[in-house]
Amino acid sequence: MVAIVLVVFIGCTLWTIWFSFTDSRALPNGAFVGFDQYQRLFATRRWRISATNLLTYGIFSLVFTMVVGFVLAVLMDQRIRFEDGFRTIFLYPFALSGIVTGLVWQWIMNPTLGLQSTMRGLGWTNFTFDWITNTDMVLYALLIAGLWHGTGFVMVLMLAGLRSVDGEIWKAARVDGIPTWRTYLQIVLPMMRGVIVTTLVIVGSGIVRTYDLVVALTNGGPGLSSEVPAKYVINYMFSAGNLGQALSASTVMLLTVFVLLIPWVIVEFGPKKHT
């Protein structure tokens, strides 16, 4: 186990970081060039657009996924009938790959085949839903597909957190006359801190690695309006034959994931509060 960790995980990570400082092209070489690849990376318009797109998509995706997932978990926690059926329906999209999800929504949002064409065929001739071909709206098209794919997973994690809250707390809150919404905000959510941070880290890490959904739904277009860093890495590594540039971009993504892990590390391994 130790050898696997050292060779596969730490070794490959160090290999990636080292060759990001070289002038490697189609094949890796040891020509050290310092931070040249990083200077070129941040000077490249395509990378800046990719990072901006991911930041915009990531903020909206993180907020909406967490909020919608929590609201669904609260509704599911009311001991409703057919809970198992609803939970399966909400969780089903997460079982699909990003490629399948992207292809499904690519068909739905295709102006000539999907929702727009259907509605116009029913008589609403002015109905327009062409977000995947609109440079200003294509990121929101990605957001819809991403929410459909990941919200059920967040709901399950939040539901597990809600079910871990002691029932006596709810009874005490009702006896004290505390409104339900205040009980959630001021008592339940702080008690779910570990679940929330873990969910944020998982969702955030997934957002940084977003690739297959983009390729299947928009392929980064129109133009570069939905380009993301992971696609930048793949294109430079396999199409452009510029390994050093691709590895510098992937190293930046790796550092971003590490930054996202910091809150989880603090919660899991930081000093514990004793009551």
Side-chain angles (χ1 to χ4, degrees), residues 33-41 245:
V33 294
F35 287 93
D36 286 0
Q37 295 287 8
Y38 291 91
Q39 291 175 352
R40 179 186 171 190
L41 176 70
Q245 180 66 187

mmCIF file of all heavy atoms in Angstrom, residues 33-41 245:
data_model
loop_
_atom_site.group_PDB
_atom_site.id
_atom_site.type_symbol
_atom_site.label_atom_id
_atom_site.label_comp_id
_atom_site.label_asym_id
_atom_site.label_seq_id
_atom_site.Cartn_x
_atom_site.Cartn_y
_atom_site.Cartn_z
ATOM 1 N N VAL A 33 13.024 25.156 -18.108
ATOM 2 C CA VAL A 33 12.790 26.536 -18.576
ATOM 3 C C VAL A 33 12.198 27.405 -17.477
ATOM 4 O O VAL A 33 11.700 28.505 -17.752
ATOM 5 C CB VAL A 33 11.858 26.539 -19.811
ATOM 6 C CG1 VAL A 33 12.515 25.881 -21.002
ATOM 7 C CG2 VAL A 33 10.505 25.886 -19.486
ATOM 8 N N GLY A 34 12.249 26.951 -16.242
ATOM 9 C CA GLY A 34 11.717 27.744 -15.132
ATOM 10 C C GLY A 34 10.215 27.948 -15.229
ATOM 11 O O GLY A 34 9.457 27.022 -15.528
ATOM 12 N N PHE A 35 9.790 29.199 -15.007
ATOM 13 C CA PHE A 35 8.354 29.504 -15.008
ATOM 14 C C PHE A 35 7.837 29.954 -16.375
ATOM 15 O O PHE A 35 6.759 30.552 -16.466
ATOM 16 C CB PHE A 35 8.058 30.593 -13.968
ATOM 17 C CG PHE A 35 8.125 30.103 -12.538
ATOM 18 C CD1 PHE A 35 9.298 30.219 -11.813
ATOM 19 C CD2 PHE A 35 7.026 29.502 -11.940
ATOM 20 C CE1 PHE A 35 9.374 29.766 -10.501
ATOM 21 C CE2 PHE A 35 7.088 29.051 -10.639
ATOM 22 C CZ PHE A 35 8.269 29.166 -9.915
ATOM 23 N N ASP A 36 8.613 29.686 -17.436
ATOM 24 C CA ASP A 36 8.202 30.139 -18.777
ATOM 25 C C ASP A 36 6.832 29.594 -19.177
ATOM 26 O O ASP A 36 6.016 30.309 -19.764
ATOM 27 C CB ASP A 36 9.243 29.722 -19.820
ATOM 28 C CG ASP A 36 10.491 30.570 -19.735
ATOM 29 O OD1 ASP A 36 10.530 31.470 -18.865
ATOM 30 O OD2 ASP A 36 11.432 30.332 -20.520
ATOM 31 N N GLN A 37 6.595 28.312 -18.875
ATOM 32 C CA GLN A 37 5.300 27.714 -19.254
ATOM 33 C C GLN A 37 4.152 28.393 -18.514
ATOM 34 O O GLN A 37 3.069 28.588 -19.076
ATOM 35 C CB GLN A 37 5.299 26.212 -18.952
ATOM 36 C CG GLN A 37 6.281 25.388 -19.762
ATOM 37 C CD GLN A 37 5.845 25.214 -21.213
ATOM 38 O OE1 GLN A 37 4.884 25.824 -21.670
ATOM 39 N NE2 GLN A 37 6.582 24.409 -21.959
ATOM 40 N N TYR A 38 4.378 28.757 -17.250
ATOM 41 C CA TYR A 38 3.336 29.411 -16.472
ATOM 42 C C TYR A 38 3.101 30.844 -16.955
ATOM 43 O O TYR A 38 1.961 31.322 -16.986
ATOM 44 C CB TYR A 38 3.695 29.394 -14.978
ATOM 45 C CG TYR A 38 3.641 28.005 -14.395
ATOM 46 C CD1 TYR A 38 4.786 27.195 -14.377
ATOM 47 C CD2 TYR A 38 2.455 27.479 -13.880
ATOM 48 C CE1 TYR A 38 4.742 25.918 -13.862
ATOM 49 C CE2 TYR A 38 2.407 26.202 -13.351
ATOM 50 C CZ TYR A 38 3.555 25.421 -13.351
ATOM 51 O OH TYR A 38 3.509 24.154 -12.851
ATOM 52 N N GLN A 39 4.209 31.542 -17.314
ATOM 53 C CA GLN A 39 4.058 32.903 -17.851
ATOM 54 C C GLN A 39 3.265 32.861 -19.160
ATOM 55 O O GLN A 39 2.384 33.696 -19.399
ATOM 56 C CB GLN A 39 5.434 33.524 -18.067
ATOM 57 C CG GLN A 39 6.176 33.833 -16.772
ATOM 58 C CD GLN A 39 7.576 34.346 -16.999
ATOM 59 O OE1 GLN A 39 8.080 34.344 -18.120
ATOM 60 N NE2 GLN A 39 8.226 34.790 -15.938
ATOM 61 N N ARG A 40 3.589 31.882 -19.992
ATOM 62 C CA ARG A 40 2.871 31.750 -21.253
ATOM 63 C C ARG A 40 1.414 31.371 -21.005
ATOM 64 O O ARG A 40 0.498 31.859 -21.687
ATOM 65 C CB ARG A 40 3.539 30.687 -22.116
ATOM 66 C CG ARG A 40 2.837 30.468 -23.444
ATOM 67 C CD ARG A 40 3.436 29.308 -24.205
ATOM 68 N NE ARG A 40 2.630 28.986 -25.372
ATOM 69 C CZ ARG A 40 2.791 27.909 -26.114
ATOM 70 N NH1 ARG A 40 3.749 27.044 -25.816
ATOM 71 N NH2 ARG A 40 2.013 27.688 -27.153
ATOM 72 N N LEU A 41 1.208 30.505 -20.006
ATOM 73 C CA LEU A 41 -0.155 30.059 -19.692
ATOM 74 C C LEU A 41 -1.052 31.241 -19.346
ATOM 75 O O LEU A 41 -2.133 31.408 -19.922
ATOM 76 C CB LEU A 41 -0.104 29.060 -18.534
ATOM 77 C CG LEU A 41 -1.462 28.556 -18.016
ATOM 78 C CD1 LEU A 41 -2.118 27.650 -19.041
ATOM 79 C CD2 LEU A 41 -1.276 27.814 -16.688
ATOM 80 N N GLN A 245 3.178 22.811 -21.625
ATOM 81 C CA GLN A 245 2.087 23.749 -21.420
ATOM 82 C C GLN A 245 0.882 23.064 -20.779
ATOM 83 O O GLN A 245 0.245 23.613 -19.874
ATOM 84 C CB GLN A 245 1.682 24.366 -22.756
ATOM 85 C CG GLN A 245 0.569 25.362 -22.709
ATOM 86 C CD GLN A 245 0.910 26.641 -21.951
ATOM 87 O OE1 GLN A 245 0.061 27.469 -21.741
ATOM 88 N NE2 GLN A 245 2.151 26.800 -21.542
#
